[in-house]
Amino acid sequence: MLITWRIEKRRGNLRPELTYSVILEGHEKGLALPYVRVESTIPEPPASWQAHCHPSEHERAGAPPAGHYSLATPSHAMRGTGQTLRLPWREDNAYPEVEASFRLLRAAFEQELAAAHASEPMDVAGQLAVSGELKRDMAAAIVADRLLRLAK
């Protein structure tokens, strides 16, 4: 699995945007891994639909976050997953919770990966035929029947 992310903010009162993608490797897809989702510590700003945050509005006025974003990996049936999330405006442009949250996602994914890997493969084939004891018991009657048919 490869997680990549980028935080981009333009100058001014615009909120930064976090864009991330998660791509599974072939052997991970081959294990039929499920969709993994974690609740991150990345705050969703109030009115996150809004690309900007003016001074004395929303988070810049001390308003609490609207919640926290969920992060996810794709399932084995998906090619990859990606998302763009709007982050709260911060004067220092520091977002340490982003990497910490991706570490949480990686840990949850690794737990699923280890569990799937621990399920050992198998290839079992079998065959059964009539037992030798029954064949011996029936042999005399079968031979007698064949001899009588030849005599007719």
Side-chain angles (χ1 to χ4, degrees):
M1 174 194 60
L2 177 64
I3 301 172
T4 58
W5 72 89
R6 179 179 185 172
I7 300 173
E8 190 172 19
K9 181 193 176 298
R10 293 181 299 175
R11 185 176 302 280
N13 294 316
L14 294 163
R15 288 176 167 152
E17 289 186 346
L18 165 65
T19 303
Y20 80 94
S21 69
V22 180
I23 299 171
L24 298 182
E25 295 182 29
H27 69 278
E28 294 165 338
K29 288 182 183 181
L31 292 172
L33 292 166
Y35 179 73
V36 175
R37 178 182 287 274
V38 297
E39 187 71 22
S40 78
T41 58
I42 302 169
E44 179 182 355
S48 62
W49 54 269
Q50 209 170 23
H52 65 278
C53 182
H54 292 137
S56 73
E57 286 184 350
H58 308 302
E59 64 267 24
R60 292 175 81 176
H68 291 87
Y69 289 112
S70 292
L71 303 176
T73 65
S75 75
H76 71 283
M78 299 169 67
R79 183 172 178 266
T81 187
Q83 197 172 3
T84 298
L85 310 172
R86 194 159 281 136
L87 300 176
W89 190 96
R90 290 185 182 157
E91 192 170 340
D92 64 0
N93 286 334
Y95 298 90
E97 63 273 19
V98 169
E99 183 171 348
S101 293
F102 284 123
R103 287 182 184 277
L104 287 173
L105 181 60
R106 181 181 66 181
F109 177 81
E110 286 177 347
Q111 200 170 22
E112 288 293 333
L113 181 61
H117 183 72
S119 178
E120 294 291 330
M122 62 180 279
D123 185 1
V124 177
Q127 184 175 336
L128 291 173
V130 175
S131 68
E133 296 161 1
L134 181 59
K135 282 183 180 180
R136 271 193 306 274
D137 291 347
M138 293 175 46
I142 292 171
V143 171
D145 186 51
R146 286 183 185 165
L147 288 174
L148 286 175
R149 283 189 197 172
L150 287 174
K152 287 185 183 182

